[in-house]
Structures are given as C-alpha cells and as structure tokens.
Amino acid sequence: MLCPEGVRKVGIIGGGVAGVATARVLIAEGIDCVIFEKTSKLGGVWTSNYDGFGIQVPASLYAFPDEPLDGDDYAKGEVVEGYVVRYAKKHGVTDVVEYETTIVAMAHDGKTWTLTTSTGAKRGGFDAVVVATGVYSTPNAFMPAVPGRDKFQGSWVHSVDFTEARICSGKRVVVVGYGKSAMDCAQVAHHVGAASTSLVFRDTHWPVPRKILGLVPFEYATFNRVGAGVLSPPYASPGPIESTVAKIPGFLSAYWKLVSFAFSKQFGLGPLEPKLPLANDIWCGQGVLPDEEFFTLINNGAIDTIRGIISDIKDATTLCITKPDGTTTELKADIVVFGTGFTQDFSFLPANLISKKQDDGLWLFRNIVHPDVPTCFFVGSQATTFMNICTSSLQARWVATALKQNGLPATDEVMRADIAEKMAWKRSTMPEAGANRARMLQLHQVHYHDELLKDMGVPIRRKASALAEVFDPYRPDDYGSVIAGTVARETKDQPSFLKELALFNAACACVVAIVIAIFAMKD
C-alpha cells in the first residue's frame, strides 16, 4: 500500500511532454494533480532550441499514443510545441499548471510530500510526486571547460542558445560534437552562408539512414519484433525470438557486420566510420539519424571535419585543436557552437534518493521508481528510447495504474532483484555509456514497453495478426487504447508466440541466406 488513505493528490515536476502525458492520465483517472513548470510555457525542449531544430524520427513515431502528430515527417520544433499544447488543452492539462515555478527541494514527512520552490514557498499535501524533468534541460547544458577561454572574442554558445543562425553569415563557424544537435547546427550554419564550417569531435558515431539503402524506412529494421529479436546484446530477459537467434552460430555477428557495411557505403563514411561496432554504439545511446544531406555536405567539402578537442585558445580568433595523435593544429573561428549535450540536475531530490545515484546513473525499477521511495516516480527523465514521447506516456499510465491500485506491481524483493539484474546486464554490455548507462533503453524499447504492459495486466500483442506482430513496426498508436484507458485487462496468460516464432524462424533463414550470398560476392 502506497498511502493508507489512498492517493488523492499528485505533484508533477516539469511541463514537458512527460509532465503533460502524466497529467493527462491522472486527470482521466480522477486524481488531482498539479504541474510545476519552471518556464512560462508547456512543451519543455520544444519551446526553444537551436535554429531549425526538430524531431529526428518520422511523425508517426514521435506522438502521444492517443493523438497523431499530423503534418510532415521530421517535424520542426514549433510544430511539435503546438501539438503538445493542443494535446494538453484537449485533456484539461493546461488547467492544472503553475507556470514559472521552479522546485528546488522535496521532503517527505512519512505521510505526504512537501515541495519547496525557488522563492522559498512551500507546497504540501502531495501523496505522490512525479519527476518529469526530462533528460535535456536548458539550465543544465554542458560545455567543456577550455583553457584561455577569456581570450576568445567571438560568440561562444551551447546549441540550445544557437537560436539565430543568420549571425553565421560570412563568419567562420566551428561546431563541437558529433550528435544530432551538432550535425544540425553545422548544416544550418553552412546554409545561411558561413564563410567556413568545421565540425570538431572526439569520436565518430554510427549514423542511421532514414531509409536503408534508400528504400526501406529504418523502423522496419528496428522497431518491430523481428528487429528487436536480432539486437545485440539480447535483452536481459530474452523472449522466444531472442533465444532462437542466440542458438544460430555466428548469426548476430554476421547480421550486424552486414548492416554496418550497408550503412557505411550508403553514407560514404570512409575515414569517419566509427571504431565501435554499430550495435554497441547504438546500445550506448550514440546512434543518430542525420538529415539526408548532412554527409553529402561533408563528402563534398562544404563542412570540414576535425577529430580532436579544443585544448586551448591562442588569441581572439584562434582555437588550438589537439588531435588523437597528440599533435596540435590551429583553427580560425568567429563563432563556436557546442552540441555537447546536457547534464541532469538531481539536487532537488530528497537525500534518500540522491544517495541511490551511482556514477552510471540512478537505478530504478522499470526506470520509474525505487522500492525505498515508493511514492516518488520518474517519468521521461530516467529512460531514453527512440520513441521517448510514447515511452513517457506508457510510463505515465503505469504510474496511474499503481496509484489507482494504491500499490506497486511487484514486491520489494522482486523489484530489487530486477534492478540488480538490469544493472549487471548493462554494466557488462555497455561499458562506453558512462553516466547515462542506467537510463539507456534505446532500441530495446519494444521489450521495455512489453514489461510495462505486463505489469499493468495489458496484452503485449498490439497487432491484428501474427504476420504484423513480427514484421510491422511498433508505433505509438499501437498503444492508444492503453493511454486512453479503454483497453481490456488480461485475466489470464497470453498464449505462446508459436505463430510469431515460426514466422521469425523463416525470416532468419532468409536473412542468413542473404548474408551468405553477400559475403560470398565480396570474397
């Protein structure tokens, strides 16, 4: 039991997509809630970011499960912001928001939570709190310290503040980083007429094409059960498909070598081909879906690439770049943009949760809750997938289900064992993930979503047929009835995946034949 008298009031910290998704389901379940949003708008990162920012997946994959995102694929930020606000208004979320309210502390008196704002005001009486502050938060933008920074006289900004690209016209622009934001900023700088555009980075990471070989949308290789079944490493608790794949000698290795070969050729990576294997790189959260033009600009010399770090500032317009071999080169710049990501702020959390944080993150049951603090939930801030808005919505429904039932779906012993299992699995399979390891789910999103559904007693099969269950990508709208609360709950175990397994075995046989044929031709 979470609360002796039941859960009546919930505080939600953050008004981005995760906070909106949480309020939407709580309101529908008749649970009073309040969103504390630090800015004057709902939408989180979609309210303001670098010039030209947008989603890196098709609109059909980045949407609330019960409301499609209409319009062009790879929608721009302002389109997504408008969509989030409309969704919030439709479900009464805008009526429960306190804007320009920053939470700086949380305290539990053994019965309810009290939240302290940046002005010192106290807001109490919350039976539960949902932390929906997201992974990317503007005040926590990360920029590496550079010796001699005060010598540089040009613009020195993080990508989130790179909101007026026109300042790059006629300027020498250097962008630091190799993720989506860095690639986008370099591309937009070139298009507004920068005198030169250079991309400086420590390491390269694998790009994923929007259409594989220019034909197949990437989600058909990764977002369905056949794609989830060939992921490397397999999920911590492998199902029948993963177990079958693991028994085929050399299959996973050959499969991912083939995919890597195809991606490298499609993008013309050459010397930019990453050292880390494709599967490992994506698993560690480094994969990116660049704009289709990006590598063309690199390959034709429009954007220069330099592997190294800014190690010093020589004078007002000269950067010193140290390369991996230890040599140093100079690079002229008028504008430096850092697409170097964000850090997470845990300072407002209660001491008993801060103490749980380790060097590789905050380890939680289902990436949502710790058994020692059962009325503090995390939605969208401790889990990253390629369908974050869908994942946050499912997490929100999971939380709402627990609150309505006044209890978590597993015992403390089971939750601790699951946390330990996931921790051991990730630490052994993703050594390069660093401080982000605990929250990384990435392409294992189908498996993760299955776990959430099982906890709620909801059927995990969302497709109309066995064929679709194996080959059709899982999209947000497959979970629409779950979020809307209209799905029928399971009263017994679902039958085994026999049809799906048979189809998958046939698919594996075809892929093996293709792999053998391609490598035979290469030899």
Side-chain angles (χ1 to χ4, degrees):
M1 181 179 293
L2 297 176
C3 302
E5 299 177 7
V7 178
R8 295 166 295 184
K9 187 177 181 181
V10 178
I12 302 169
I13 305 175
V17 293
V20 169
T22 302
R24 180 262 185 272
V25 294
L26 293 183
I27 291 169
E29 293 295 338
I31 299 174
D32 288 340
C33 60
V34 180
I35 291 179
F36 298 100
E37 167 53 38
K38 65 187 177 185
T39 73
S40 61
K41 298 180 179 180
L42 286 177
V45 296
W46 298 112
T47 62
S48 179
N49 214 307
Y50 59 86
D51 200 333
F53 77 107
I55 56 177
Q56 64 171 324
V57 295
S60 63
L61 299 177
Y62 195 89
F64 293 106
D66 56 335
E67 188 78 30
L69 171 56
D70 295 325
D72 296 334
D73 279 345
Y74 307 98
K76 294 300 183 182
E78 59 269 20
V79 174
V80 181
E81 179 190 4
Y83 164 72
V84 173
V85 172
R86 288 193 301 275
Y87 183 84
K89 288 180 178 178
K90 178 178 179 178
H91 296 287
V93 175
T94 51
D95 297 329
V96 299
V97 185
E98 291 192 14
Y99 295 101
E100 298 183 336
T101 303
T102 301
I103 301 301
V104 297
M106 300 168 53
H108 195 265
D109 62 7
K111 186 177 180 181
T112 61
W113 289 94
T114 296
L115 307 181
T116 303
T117 74
S118 56
T119 64
K122 304 286 186 181
R123 296 297 308 275
F126 296 105
D127 299 303
V129 173
V130 175
V131 179
T133 50
V135 175
Y136 314 108
S137 183
T138 302
N140 305 312
F142 173 73
M143 295 172 63
V146 177
R149 160 70 182 88
D150 57 327
K151 299 177 186 176
F152 188 72
Q153 298 301 304
S155 297
W156 186 277
V157 299
H158 189 274
S159 60
V160 75
D161 298 313
F162 183 60
T163 57
E164 296 290 341
R166 65 175 183 269
I167 67 171
C168 296
S169 179
K171 304 292 185 180
R172 297 164 296 187
V173 179
V174 173
V175 181
V176 181
Y178 203 81
K180 180 66 164 58
S181 61
M183 292 179 177
D184 285 351
C185 289
Q187 188 168 336
V188 74
H190 166 73
H191 280 303
V192 298
S196 64
T197 307
S198 302
L199 192 68
V200 177
F201 48 85
R202 289 177 180 269
D203 296 298
T204 58
H205 299 288
W206 281 98
V208 177
R210 293 178 175 181
K211 288 189 176 182
I212 299 172
L213 301 178
L215 300 171
V216 182
F218 76 94
E219 60 264 33
Y220 279 88
T222 51
F223 284 31
N224 49 21
R225 292 200 182 277
V226 68
V230 296
L231 293 177
S232 180
Y235 200 56
S237 303
I241 290 180
E242 291 90 338
S243 298
T244 298
V245 169
K247 295 176 183 177
I248 304 175
F251 176 79
L252 281 179
S253 176
Y255 174 83
W256 284 103
K257 283 182 180 178
L258 174 64
V259 175
S260 301
F261 174 77
F263 285 9
S264 183
K265 293 300 181 183
Q266 182 169 345
F267 285 112
L269 295 181
L272 294 181
E273 183 170 314
K275 298 177 181 177
L276 197 64
L278 171 60
N280 300 67
D281 201 36
I282 293 177
W283 176 218
C284 292
Q286 304 295 350
V288 61
L289 278 83
D291 184 271
E292 294 174 313
E293 183 193 29
F294 179 74
F295 279 96
T296 299
L297 294 176
I298 285 181
N299 292 332
N300 66 21
I303 297 176
D304 190 26
T305 58
I306 305 173
R307 191 188 299 264
I309 62 171
I310 303 177
S311 54
D312 200 359
I313 306 296
K314 180 179 180 181
D315 56 40
T317 60
T318 308
L319 313 178
C320 298
I321 310 296
T322 298
K323 298 182 177 182
D325 62 4
T327 60
T328 300
T329 187
E330 294 181 357
L331 183 62
K332 290 291 185 179
D334 303 302
I335 298 172
V336 180
V337 181
F338 287 85
T340 44
F342 300 79
T343 58
Q344 284 193 297
D345 178 20
F346 292 94
S347 63
F348 64 93
L349 296 178
N352 58 343
L353 261 177
I354 292 178
S355 66
K356 308 295 182 189
K357 183 181 179 298
Q358 302 187 38
D359 290 342
D360 51 0
L362 184 60
W363 295 91
L364 305 169
F365 177 65
R366 300 289 189 256
N367 293 75
I368 295 174
V369 66
H370 196 283
D372 288 347
V373 194
T375 56
C376 180
F377 302 91
F378 292 80
V379 171
S381 61
Q382 295 304 311
T384 57
T385 69
F386 283 92
M387 292 198 301
N388 280 329
I389 193 169
C390 177
T391 298
S392 294
S393 296
L394 288 173
Q395 288 183 320
R397 174 53 69 182
W398 189 97
V399 171
T401 301
L403 296 180
K404 288 291 288 186
Q405 296 176 349
N406 201 13
L408 299 176
T411 64
D412 281 11
E413 182 180 8
V414 169
M415 288 190 286
R416 293 182 198 282
D418 187 81
I419 291 171
E421 178 190 37
K422 296 297 197 307
M423 185 186 299
W425 170 57
K426 288 186 176 183
R427 286 178 174 174
S428 66
T429 60
M430 52 194 312
E432 296 85 4
N436 301 322
R437 184 180 293 117
R439 69 172 184 250
M440 288 295 174
L441 293 164
Q442 304 311 103
L443 292 177
H444 280 295
Q445 60 198 11
V446 173
H447 300 116
Y448 176 65
H449 294 166
D450 283 353
E451 289 183 330
L452 297 180
L453 296 181
K454 288 178 181 178
D455 288 344
M456 294 185 282
V458 172
I460 64 174
R461 295 179 187 171
R462 315 303 308 161
K463 301 293 186 179
S465 68
L467 187 67
E469 192 65 52
V470 173
F471 296 106
D472 191 34
Y474 261 85
R475 301 178 179 89
D477 60 6
D478 289 308
Y479 304 98
S481 62
V482 180
I483 304 308
T486 59
V487 67
R489 298 302 197 266
E490 283 281 284
T491 57
K492 60 182 180 179
D493 291 338
Q494 287 189 301
S496 62
F497 276 90
L498 292 179
K499 290 182 179 179
E500 290 90 341
L501 189 58
L503 286 167
F504 181 77
N505 285 336
C508 281
C510 293
V511 173
V512 168
I514 293 171
V515 170
I516 292 173
I518 289 177
F519 277 92
M521 288 189 291
K522 286 177 63 181
D523 294 338

